[in-house]
Amino acid sequence: MTDLRPDPDELLDELRREEEAARRGRLKIFFGACAGVGKTYAMLAAAKARRSEGVDVLVGVVETHGRSETAAMLEGLPVQPPHYLEYKGKRLAEFDLDGALALHPSLILIDEFAHSNVTGSRHPKRWQDVEELLAAGIDVYTTLNVQHLESLNDVVGRITGIVVRETLPDQVFDTADDVALVDLPPDELIGRLNAGKVYLPHQAERAIRNFFRKGNLLALRELALRRTADRVDAQMRAYRANQSIQPVWQARERLLVCVGNRPGGEQLVRSAKRLAASLDADWLVVHVDTPGGPSLTEEERQRLLKVLRLAQELGAETSVLAGSDLASTLLAYARSRNVSKLVVARHRKSALMARIRPSLVDHLSRQAEDVDVYVVAHDLDEDVAGQDKRSNVRSLLFDDVSARRRKQGYVAALLSSALTTGLSALLIQHFELANVIMVYLLAVVMVAVRYGRAAGMLASFLSVALFDFFFVPPRMSFSVSDTQYLLTFVVMLVVSLIISQQTARLRFDARAATFRERRTRVLYDLGRELAGALTGAQIVETAERHIDGLFNGRPVLFVPDGDEHMKKTDPEQGGDEGVAQWVFDNQQAAGRGTNTLPSSPALYVPLKAPMRVRGVLAILLPEGSRGLLPDEVRLLETCAAQIALALERVHYVEVAQDAIVAMESERLRNSVLATVSHDLRTPLTTLVGMASLLENDSLDHTRRHELARSINSEAQRMSRLVTNLLDMARLQSGVKPDKQWQYLDEVIGSVLREMGGRLAGHALSLDMADDLPLVNIDEVLLERVLVNLLDNACKYAPKSSTIQLTVRHEEDVVRVSVRDDGPGWPAHLANSMFDKFTRGSNESATPGVGLGLAICRGIVEAHGGRISAENAVPQGAIVTFTLPVETPPAVPE
């Protein structure tokens, strides 16, 4: 009996999806075969209808292409101004995403969904802009032509001879809430072209000769109709699954073919292909693994794989199912996929076998009330028919236990029957025969659970025989004095056989559930760890660790180098880089089980990401391996897709980081050029002017002395500028300080002597503690810190004001502070005052390049200290830095 109760996990997942959908905006795509069918017109008409209902509608982007009918539809609708970007000397209009988010209308119109944005926009594609609008809860109407779908791009290119560069991922199209097909017959579209309603007359004539030929339009129209029909069919199946609808809705023909390991499977697949072609129907080919079937020999497994590969080559979707009952499993799968017709083979059976074990056709005929069953007769020769009969007998007697395990089971059945008999001999003295029978049944259950149906059946017959021989009067004989015991024997045998059969089914169900649970756990763990991986090496290590053991082989990953050549991530592993290169270039699987290099010892699958192939995943199969079943291949492709997505994510993170570094480098370069051009040109101009004045012989000695002093001052100013630039370059190149043990008061004295001239207009207050210890510093670099801080204070503090320099010893650090009475730090520079090329207030009047504090921070941090800045009360600025106090070496007496 089929359990129709909904899965609680699925219900919770559905509730979560509904909550997410309620927060997001709704996307509606007006879909057409090509330009000119009226997508934009239909979108505007729908928007006007929504606006008449009181909905807040905004036109984000609508391209009229000079069509008067479309332009007329825009009247009365609010239009958002475009955002202009400079590109290659031109000013181009683009959609203003930030403006739309700020206005936050209920519905926005975005034409040309697959459009590529101008370089410099937030997103490279317009559909990514739409994703951000949807995430903000804004409904979007948009338009799309069939040639822009990524999966159909090459098909359209072969039909029309024109390759469209702007494409849209199919996943984005499939996740749209609504798709409205805007259709127009080719003759009417050509008439609109001739009338100038699509393009200007000279453009229309050229378009009719090239892209808009009638044959092209017919093919594009069919593609658009089929793609829309596929989407509707997927929606219908999703609705049936959500509503737990079991009966098949025959809205579209779909065939399901069941194949086994017996001869004749290829004939069945070819017959189903012809039937599907005549009905113009999709078709699926499945193999059902049941506990009623014996373990497959290598020959039978290879035959099954060959049949499934043939089905894939002929265009079928293949799958391997697991179920306790063949007919029920087939019908459940058929209803879940909305299959209208089942195709099975009729095998020859003897009359006895047909009565003992009814055929699949008999079971389906009784259970398939809403599915048509087609039976294909097999024309098998005598040898093959004999093999088929032997297979029927084997499937009746044996399950999926290996031959070695089966032999162990026979031995276990003999031993358990003997031990049970010995135990029963002790119990018979205290219990009735009816109770002793229970002990034998328990032994049968234990043998069947551990060793399968065949061993359980042997244990059943042995139990009946031993019970009769040892315990039923007359004892030590198979004779029966009381005919009532005959019924006991029959019931005991039937119960034992039923128990062994049901136990075998439970073993199979447990094995299948374990496999599914393991596969789900591996996919979950793989996806979770790949989502947290930050580097390509972490992705490779995670992938190999999870995939190893999941398949019958070792995984090997190949990734492209800078020249797009495949290289193994671990050179010591096996695998052919030449085969991997072919798979990478052609984006197709190769190796074992494929039509390309089938003799290869490995299966190679491409790591396909949305934007490109990111590498190749290979499974090295052992010698003589059976290869991978179709379900295993699909599982491998799923793992490959997750790995590819992770590699692409890391790649674009690295691209974004490189772009940020490049932008920062460009900003710094521009800052350096702008600063140097200003702060060098000004003193140079002054120097040239004063040098020209010195050439005048009429100047007296006093005037000449003043000019010389001014020239020296400007030269010193240029020297400080160049020194700061060189210091910054040294720090960025990773120069380490040359530390020596020094007294800090000596370093400060040297700095004050150097700063004497610049401090002349200010009063210096020096407050140094008496207990200053030796510090391990680079004297030259620390002098640069003090010079820059004092010079900065002189620049911004008023004339005749006081500059305070304080030095204190506090526990394990020496704290140095410089305070001035200037305007203080601007509030907007609270978090960036130590960045390169950052200047304070009154920048134009105060000379400098904005490197002083950045150099100070680099030097102090190189010494293991910290530097900070704050505003003084009531006014002024304070810069404080600390230096660590270390234990000085012992001084010899």
Side-chain angles (χ1 to χ4, degrees):
M1 183 176 179
T2 304
D3 189 1
L4 300 180
R5 292 174 298 176
D7 188 340
D9 292 335
E10 292 181 358
L11 288 176
L12 291 174
D13 204 34
E14 180 66 22
L15 289 174
R16 180 183 57 80
R17 289 196 297 267
E18 290 178 357
E19 289 178 0
E20 292 178 355
R23 291 193 296 266
R24 283 175 58 86
R26 294 181 59 82
L27 174 63
K28 182 174 183 178
I29 300 176
F30 291 82
F31 187 54
C34 59
V37 298
K39 302 181 301 298
T40 305
Y41 188 93
M43 178 179 68
L44 291 171
K48 282 196 167 185
R50 293 291 304 277
R51 192 162 191 261
S52 65
E53 297 171 359
V55 177
D56 180 17
V57 178
L58 176 66
V59 177
V61 178
V62 167
E63 303 290 348
T64 62
H65 298 289
R67 301 167 191 161
S68 57
E69 296 175 349
T70 306
M73 290 295 293
L74 277 171
E75 295 179 1
L77 292 175
V79 179
Q80 181 187 9
H83 174 59
Y84 290 96
L85 293 171
E86 295 291 336
Y87 182 69
K88 293 184 178 180
K90 297 182 180 179
R91 193 164 180 259
L92 303 178
E94 279 292 353
F95 170 59
D96 186 2
L97 176 59
D98 290 325
L101 291 172
L103 292 174
H104 204 280
S106 300
L107 171 64
I108 190 168
L109 311 185
I110 306 291
D111 208 0
E112 298 184 359
F113 198 22
H115 170 76
S116 296
N117 293 330
V118 175
T119 302
S121 301
R122 181 184 306 175
H123 301 125
K125 294 289 187 178
R126 183 168 288 172
W127 64 264
Q128 294 170 321
D129 295 340
V130 170
E131 282 293 319
E132 191 165 342
L133 292 170
L134 295 172
I138 302 174
D139 294 345
V140 178
Y141 282 1
T142 187
T143 61
L144 180 70
N145 289 331
V146 69
Q147 65 262 32
H148 293 293
L149 284 176
E150 182 67 46
S151 63
L152 300 176
N153 183 254
D154 56 341
V155 178
V156 175
R158 288 195 295 269
I159 293 173
T160 63
I162 299 173
V163 178
V164 178
R165 301 298 179 188
E166 295 181 326
T167 58
L168 177 81
D170 286 56
Q171 182 182 5
V172 178
F173 178 81
D174 293 333
T175 54
D177 297 281
D178 192 11
V179 174
L181 178 65
V182 183
D183 185 40
L184 194 65
D187 291 333
E188 292 186 26
L189 180 56
I190 293 174
R192 285 174 53 82
L193 281 166
N194 290 327
K197 295 181 178 180
V198 180
Y199 296 123
L200 297 176
H202 66 283
Q203 295 175 329
E205 184 178 352
R206 185 170 64 251
I208 293 174
R209 290 197 307 268
N210 297 288
F211 187 87
F212 285 84
R213 295 194 301 270
K214 186 173 182 178
N216 291 351
L217 298 179
L218 287 170
L220 293 174
R221 189 186 187 199
E222 181 180 1
L223 286 176
L225 291 170
R226 283 185 176 276
R227 190 64 179 84
T228 308
D230 290 340
R231 174 185 165 81
V232 173
D233 183 69
Q235 288 177 327
M236 180 187 68
R237 285 191 281 115
Y239 177 80
R240 293 179 68 251
N242 291 337
Q243 301 298 321
S244 300
I245 298 175
Q246 295 297 318
V248 175
W249 291 355
Q250 299 189 7
R252 179 177 180 178
E253 295 291 356
R254 184 176 283 111
L255 272 64
L256 177 63
V257 186
C258 179
V259 298
N261 58 295
R262 297 175 179 175
E266 295 181 4
Q267 176 186 344
L268 174 62
V269 167
R270 293 189 181 98
S271 299
K273 168 61 178 175
R274 292 192 296 271
L275 179 60
S278 64
L279 296 174
D280 191 23
D282 298 334
W283 61 303
L284 306 92
V285 176
V286 300
H287 169 72
V288 181
D289 192 7
T290 64
S295 58
L296 300 182
T297 64
E298 185 61 26
E299 178 186 358
E300 291 170 337
R301 189 176 293 278
Q302 292 299 328
R303 185 189 302 141
L304 174 61
L305 290 175
K306 185 177 179 181
V307 171
L308 293 175
R309 281 199 296 270
L310 175 63
Q312 289 178 332
E313 293 171 2
L314 295 178
E317 177 186 340
T318 61
S319 183
V320 177
L321 310 177
S324 58
D325 181 73
L326 178 58
S328 300
T329 303
L330 272 177
L331 287 172
Y333 185 74
R335 293 184 176 112
S336 69
R337 298 299 301 270
N338 202 37
V339 169
S340 58
K341 292 175 172 55
L342 265 171
V343 181
V344 295
R346 183 182 64 195
H347 296 274
R348 295 180 180 178
K349 281 188 176 183
S350 64
L352 177 62
M353 286 299 300
R355 292 177 181 177
I356 295 176
R357 193 173 193 182
S359 66
L360 174 62
V361 176
D362 298 331
H363 287 295
L364 292 176
S365 299
R366 289 194 300 268
Q367 300 179 35
E369 300 176 355
D370 51 353
V371 180
D372 300 333
V373 180
Y374 285 66
V375 181
V376 177
H378 277 187
D379 185 14
L380 304 179
D381 57 32
E382 185 176 349
D383 293 338
V384 174
Q387 294 176 7
D388 196 28
K389 291 179 181 179
R390 288 191 294 273
S391 178
N392 285 332
V393 175
R394 276 199 310 129
S395 66
L396 179 63
L397 297 179
F398 307 127
D399 51 4
D400 57 347
V401 178
S402 64
R404 182 185 177 200
R405 186 73 170 172
R406 194 178 302 134
K407 292 178 181 178
Q408 294 176 351
Y410 296 155
V411 175
L414 291 170
L415 292 177
S416 67
S417 299
L419 292 174
T420 304
T421 302
L423 178 63
S424 299
L426 299 176
L427 297 176
I428 195 67
Q429 302 175 10
H430 307 285
F431 298 97
E432 297 292 334
L433 286 178
N435 296 323
V436 174
I437 292 176
M438 298 297 104
V439 180
Y440 280 101
L441 293 180
L442 177 61
V444 170
V445 171
M446 294 175 63
V447 171
V449 166
R450 188 167 182 81
Y451 296 102
R453 182 171 62 247
M457 294 174 66
L458 177 60
S460 299
F461 284 104
L462 287 175
S463 297
V464 172
L466 293 174
F467 179 75
D468 177 24
F469 188 80
F470 287 102
F471 301 110
V472 175
R475 296 187 176 186
M476 303 303 172
S477 170
F478 289 107
S479 303
V480 178
S481 60
D482 190 348
T483 56
Q484 293 182 1
Y485 284 109
L486 294 177
L487 178 61
T488 303
F489 296 154
V490 171
V491 173
M492 181 179 176
L493 180 61
V494 171
V495 170
S496 300
L497 292 176
I498 292 175
I499 288 175
S500 63
Q501 174 72 11
Q502 294 301 322
T503 304
R505 290 195 176 190
L506 289 175
R507 288 182 67 254
F508 176 84
D509 291 341
R511 188 189 66 174
T514 301
F515 173 76
R516 287 193 296 267
E517 186 273 336
R518 181 185 174 212
R519 180 177 60 184
T520 303
R521 186 181 67 251
V522 168
L523 289 176
Y524 171 76
D525 293 340
L526 177 64
R528 182 189 60 188
E529 293 195 26
L530 288 178
L534 301 177
T535 65
Q538 290 179 344
I539 292 174
V540 170
E541 187 274 331
T542 299
E544 292 180 345
R545 175 162 44 84
H546 284 285
I547 295 177
D548 190 18
L550 185 61
F551 303 98
N552 186 28
R554 292 186 296 107
V556 179
L557 276 168
F558 299 81
V559 293
D561 58 12
D563 298 325
E564 297 291 295
H565 294 153
M566 287 290 100
K567 299 296 181 184
K568 285 181 284 190
T569 56
D570 184 357
E572 297 182 359
Q573 289 182 326
D576 192 328
E577 292 182 349
V579 179
Q581 188 67 47
W582 186 92
V583 172
F584 180 79
D585 294 337
N586 293 273
Q587 302 184 22
Q588 296 178 11
R592 181 76 65 88
T594 68
N595 293 326
T596 305
L597 302 174
S599 60
S600 173
L603 173 61
Y604 299 79
V605 295
L607 300 177
K608 291 184 180 180
M611 300 304 294
R612 54 162 293 177
V613 176
R614 294 293 168 186
V616 174
L617 172 62
I619 298 295
L620 301 181
L621 301 170
E623 189 69 26
S625 171
R626 59 175 174 78
L628 300 182
L629 291 171
D631 270 18
E632 294 175 318
V633 173
R634 272 194 292 275
L635 178 59
L636 178 62
E637 291 173 347
T638 302
C639 295
Q642 290 194 11
I643 297 169
L645 285 172
L647 288 173
E648 184 159 281
R649 172 180 57 79
V650 170
H651 168 74
Y652 280 114
V653 168
E654 293 173 352
V655 168
Q657 290 175 343
D658 293 342
I660 292 173
V661 171
M663 292 170 60
E664 182 66 16
S665 299
E666 181 69 15
R667 188 185 71 83
L668 291 178
R669 186 181 70 86
N670 293 336
S671 299
V672 170
L673 290 176
T675 302
V676 170
S677 63
H678 176 270
D679 287 271
L680 282 181
R681 185 169 53 198
T682 300
L684 282 174
T685 303
T686 304
L687 288 173
V688 170
M690 288 187 290
S692 300
L693 289 176
L694 284 175
E695 295 177 352
N696 190 347
D697 296 334
S698 62
L699 293 176
D700 56 16
H701 177 74
T702 303
R703 182 58 176 161
R704 285 176 178 272
H705 184 69
E706 291 176 353
L707 288 174
R709 192 165 54 234
S710 299
I711 290 174
N712 179 67
S713 175
E714 293 297 328
Q716 290 292 335
R717 175 181 167 188
M718 291 179 60
S719 176
R720 289 193 299 273
L721 172 61
V722 174
T723 300
N724 278 340
L725 291 173
L726 293 176
D727 287 344
M728 198 72 248
R730 287 180 61 199
L731 290 173
Q732 287 191 326
S733 64
V735 174
K736 295 183 179 180
D738 181 16
K739 295 182 178 181
Q740 301 290 334
W741 291 98
Q742 304 284 344
Y743 284 107
L744 199 57
D745 52 354
E746 296 180 359
V747 177
I748 293 175
S750 176
V751 170
L752 294 181
R753 284 192 296 271
E754 180 183 345
M755 293 288 297
R758 276 172 280 171
L759 289 171
H762 299 82
L764 177 65
S765 174
L766 181 60
D767 183 6
M768 296 179 58
D770 296 331
D771 60 342
L772 293 180
L774 280 171
V775 287
N776 193 17
I777 59 173
D778 185 325
E779 180 181 3
V780 176
L781 292 181
L782 196 62
E783 285 181 2
R784 296 307 312 158
V785 174
L786 292 170
V787 167
N788 282 338
L789 293 181
L790 292 173
D791 185 61
N792 202 59
C794 292
K795 287 179 184 178
Y796 292 97
K799 291 293 184 181
S800 302
S801 62
T802 300
I803 297 175
Q804 298 178 9
L805 176 59
T806 306
V807 186
R808 291 284 185 268
H809 178 203
E810 301 176 357
E811 296 182 354
D812 56 348
V813 297
V814 172
R815 186 178 303 276
V816 182
S817 299
V818 177
R819 173 175 177 168
D820 62 61
D821 293 332
W825 305 107
H828 67 280
L829 296 180
N831 298 320
S832 60
M833 60 184 64
F834 288 98
D835 293 342
K836 294 184 288 291
F837 304 106
T838 300
R839 312 249 340 254
S841 59
N842 197 19
E843 294 183 5
S844 60
T846 305
V849 295
L851 286 176
L853 290 178
I855 293 172
C856 292
R857 180 177 65 175
I859 294 174
V860 170
E861 290 180 351
H863 281 78
R866 302 186 65 180
I867 188 169
S868 61
E870 59 183 336
N871 285 323
V873 179
Q875 68 175 23
I878 302 175
V879 179
T880 303
F881 68 89
T882 61
L883 296 172
V885 174
E886 304 173 12
T887 303
V891 179
E893 296 182 3

